[in-house]
Amino acid sequence: MKNSVKRTTVAILATMMIGTGMYAPIDHYNLFPQTSITAEAASVGRVTGLKSNTLSNSEIKLKWSKVKGASGYTVYMRKNGSYNKVADTKSTTYTVKKLPNATRENFKVRAYKKVNGKKVYGSYSSNWNTATNPQPCKGLKVSSVNSDSIKLSWTKIGCTNYRVFQYISGEWKEIGKTTGTSYTIKKLTPQTEYKFKIRACKKDDKKKCNNHYGKHSKVVAATTRSDKITQADIDAMKAELTAYSREKATYIKEHYTEFWKYGIDYNTVEELFSMLENESTPENSSYSDVYTIQFDEKNIDDMTKIFKEQIDYEYKQDSDAYYVVYVETCPDGHRTNPNPCWAVYFLY
């Protein structure tokens, strides 16, 4: 029918041109080619039903409804304010790869037909935005433990927030979320083991209420302390204070090669520190005072903080010394405290 109409039109034009003394050969098949292409474009349907499935922290799979008569489809992604071509596909799905972690991306798709060797496009689909998953959380650790609480911390990654999970009654349950890189679980039972893990969340468009999650972190476990200070607490406190004192001993670290035992009893500053810590006692060393912690005390963290402040004070008074943290158990009391206690010295 189309060819018949085209031939009739050509015959009429030829008659008119001959009647005026004009004649030109007519191409029956390329007359008004742009009009033909425009007509074909009008028949290319608009892509509908564009949706997605986030596959990982770097891949998003798009899918849409089939357009009748389409030769293929072109996928576009927005960048710097405009939509740029990603790829052509003959399928109604396409996976966009190598995307950044926890990043929102915007897409459009349009169908095309091939007319006279050229792609003729239909209208763009509606915009579709979604996000990649965050990467797996890293560096999860137990940063502090008390009798009724455990503090977790981890390494920062790109995401909206972090979800905290606790192993309860044989299953993992989400117990909280935070935008920071630490979380404290409270109201725990003394001397009880707990297990935790986390994962990052990238919040999606509010209308779709669809969040994207990274893989879970490794599992960490911790046992809450007794509701009273134990020997284990004292040992941990001593180790923490010893490390703190080493950090403050700037003069010793800069001048340890000048002491007469260098090269004989020790060769490195670490060996010097260890030698002093192992050999120093209240009987063969000096100290300004002795402090005590009663056996029925409950908060070792407060005591540790006070002792760090005391170490700061000692180094201000005598910066060229090294202060050794020495602790002894006094079950029958101490001359400065008649109650059962631990005696704490800062020897130099």
Side-chain angles (χ1 to χ4, degrees):
M1 182 66 181
K2 290 183 179 179
N3 289 335
S4 178
V5 173
K6 187 181 293 185
R7 290 193 193 99
T8 301
T9 303
V10 171
I12 293 171
L13 289 172
T15 301
M16 292 172 62
M17 295 171 73
I18 292 171
T20 58
M22 297 174 60
Y23 176 76
I26 302 299
D27 185 342
H28 291 273
Y29 300 100
N30 290 319
L31 184 67
F32 305 138
Q34 187 60 46
T35 302
S36 175
I37 292 175
T38 303
E40 291 290 347
S43 68
V44 181
R46 182 172 183 260
V47 170
T48 60
L50 179 59
K51 293 183 179 180
S52 68
N53 181 25
T54 298
L55 302 181
S56 68
N57 61 348
S58 63
E59 297 183 351
I60 294 173
K61 184 177 182 180
L62 302 171
K63 57 183 178 180
W64 54 90
S65 300
K66 184 177 180 179
V67 174
K68 185 178 180 179
S71 303
Y73 307 88
T74 302
V75 178
Y76 301 84
M77 183 171 72
R78 191 170 69 188
K79 185 176 182 180
N80 299 327
S82 61
Y83 283 88
N84 301 295
K85 177 180 175 180
V86 175
D88 288 333
T89 178
K90 293 183 178 181
S91 174
T92 55
T93 66
Y94 185 80
T95 299
V96 186
K97 301 179 179 180
K98 297 182 179 180
L99 297 171
N101 300 309
T103 304
R104 180 168 303 288
E105 304 291 358
N106 291 266
F107 302 95
K108 286 185 179 181
V109 178
R110 59 176 176 169
Y112 64 83
K113 289 182 180 180
K114 285 191 175 179
V115 181
N116 296 333
K118 295 182 179 181
K119 289 179 181 176
V120 179
Y121 287 94
S123 299
Y124 285 98
S125 68
S126 297
N127 166 73
W128 179 265
N129 69 82
T130 187
T132 51
N133 294 338
Q135 62 181 304
C137 286
K138 300 176 182 179
L140 178 64
K141 64 180 181 180
V142 176
S143 54
S144 67
V145 178
N146 289 311
S147 61
D148 61 352
S149 67
I150 294 173
K151 183 178 181 180
L152 306 175
S153 61
W154 53 87
T155 304
K156 183 178 181 180
I157 62 172
C159 64
T160 305
N161 55 51
Y162 304 89
R163 306 298 176 93
V164 182
F165 295 81
Q166 181 181 334
Y167 192 68
I168 302 173
S169 301
E171 62 179 327
W172 289 98
K173 296 182 179 180
E174 184 177 322
I175 60 171
K177 64 181 179 180
T178 178
T179 57
T181 55
S182 66
Y183 188 85
T184 300
I185 302 92
K186 301 179 179 179
K187 297 182 180 180
L188 302 178
T189 303
Q191 293 183 297
T192 304
E193 183 183 61
Y194 294 90
K195 294 180 180 179
F196 306 97
K197 63 182 180 179
I198 63 170
R199 65 174 175 172
C201 170
K202 174 64 177 180
K203 194 173 182 180
D204 207 334
D205 189 280
K206 293 181 180 179
K207 294 181 180 178
K208 293 192 288 290
C209 297
N210 181 30
N211 294 327
H212 302 281
Y213 296 94
K215 294 181 179 179
H216 288 93
S217 69
K218 67 175 184 178
V219 175
V220 296
T223 300
T224 48
R225 294 203 302 252
S226 167
D227 54 357
K228 294 182 180 180
I229 295 175
T230 65
Q231 184 63 51
D233 295 326
I234 294 297
D235 293 341
M237 180 199 73
K238 180 181 176 181
E240 184 176 346
L241 293 177
T242 296
Y244 190 75
S245 183
R246 286 191 177 196
E247 179 187 336
K248 292 289 182 177
T250 304
Y251 180 88
I252 297 297
K253 286 186 283 188
E254 294 176 352
H255 298 275
Y256 72 96
T257 60
E258 301 171 14
F259 305 140
W260 72 272
K261 287 190 176 183
Y262 175 70
I264 301 173
D265 291 343
Y266 68 92
N267 294 294
T268 67
V269 67
E270 292 297 322
E271 290 178 356
L272 173 60
F273 285 145
S274 297
M275 183 183 73
L276 294 175
E277 289 158 9
N278 292 331
E279 295 180 357
S280 298
T281 66
E283 288 72 32
N284 64 16
S285 304
S286 300
Y287 59 92
S288 57
D289 206 346
V290 57
Y291 309 90
T292 60
I293 303 174
Q294 291 187 195
F295 284 174
D296 59 358
E297 284 281 353
K298 295 183 178 181
N299 197 330
I300 190 68
D301 292 332
D302 288 346
M303 303 301 298
T304 303
K305 181 179 178 181
I306 291 172
F307 287 145
K308 283 184 176 180
E309 292 172 352
Q310 183 62 34
I311 289 175
D312 290 340
Y313 174 78
E314 298 290 352
Y315 276 107
K316 286 181 180 179
Q317 295 297 110
D318 194 358
S319 62
D320 60 355
Y322 176 58
Y323 291 93
V324 175
V325 181
Y326 183 92
V327 182
E328 63 182 14
T329 303
C330 309
D332 298 322
H334 187 272
R335 59 181 173 81
T336 61
N337 189 337
N339 300 304
C341 61
W342 291 277
V344 182
Y345 301 80
F346 298 108
L347 308 176
Y348 61 93

